[in-house]
Amino acid sequence: MVAIEPDRLGQSGLELAAMLKHLRNQAGLSGVRLAARCHMSQSKISRLEGNKLRPSLVDVEQILRGVDASPAVAAEVMAMARIAQTEWQDRKALHRKGLDKKQLELAGLEAVTRPTRPRASGAPLVWSRSRRSS
């Protein structure tokens, strides 16, 4: 399983979308022409490039063939697509289990807590809710 760093969440999809658009532009193709080569609609190409639609691995392969990407570039882009796919699946699983809500709840608790005494070496840290003055 690929570990996704929290500060990188969402970045792989953006990077993949930007790379697909870059490859189309580099090939000198319009969205309409690439769509015809890939047997997709122009609006689907636009949504993929704008990160509005998650591409399947098959979609990415079709686009790579449509822009005549070199094997090295194709391998790099497919690796990006696999990472993005893993990230989306992980996020979907967390949402399905409700863990995203639990994480937000815990983050809220952490925001209103503070240590109650200095920590001696080896002693456990004790937390309490901070009191807010009105």
Side-chain angles (χ1 to χ4, degrees), residues 18-132:
M19 178 60 87
L20 293 175
K21 185 172 186 172
H22 170 75
L23 290 172
R24 178 181 60 80
N25 289 331
Q26 193 175 36
L29 297 172
S30 67
V32 173
R33 185 69 185 130
L34 178 60
R37 284 186 176 192
C38 299
H39 307 288
M40 296 179 187
S41 67
Q42 183 277 328
S43 64
K44 183 173 184 176
I45 296 290
S46 177
R47 287 180 297 169
L48 292 172
E49 290 178 352
N51 197 33
K52 304 289 184 205
L53 178 67
R54 295 179 188 127
S56 68
L57 296 177
V58 173
D59 291 337
V60 175
E61 287 175 347
Q62 287 178 313
I63 290 171
L64 291 170
R65 277 193 292 262
V67 298
D68 295 321
S70 70
V73 169
E76 179 183 344
V77 174
M78 286 305 296
M80 290 172 68
R82 284 186 198 93
I83 290 169
Q85 195 71 27
T86 300
E87 179 183 309
W88 292 324
Q89 288 171 351
D90 287 350
R91 185 178 276 166
K92 202 156 104 177
L94 286 174
H95 182 71
R96 195 170 38 249
K97 292 176 184 175
L99 295 177
D100 56 333
K101 293 173 189 78
K102 186 67 173 174
Q103 188 174 22
L104 289 173
E105 179 185 331
L106 292 174
L109 279 174
E110 184 179 8
V112 297
T113 58
R114 60 178 174 75
T116 58
R117 60 183 165 83
R119 185 175 177 184
S121 64
L125 191 57
V126 177
W127 292 86
S128 68
R129 284 183 179 242
S130 57
R131 297 177 192 203
R132 293 185 183 193

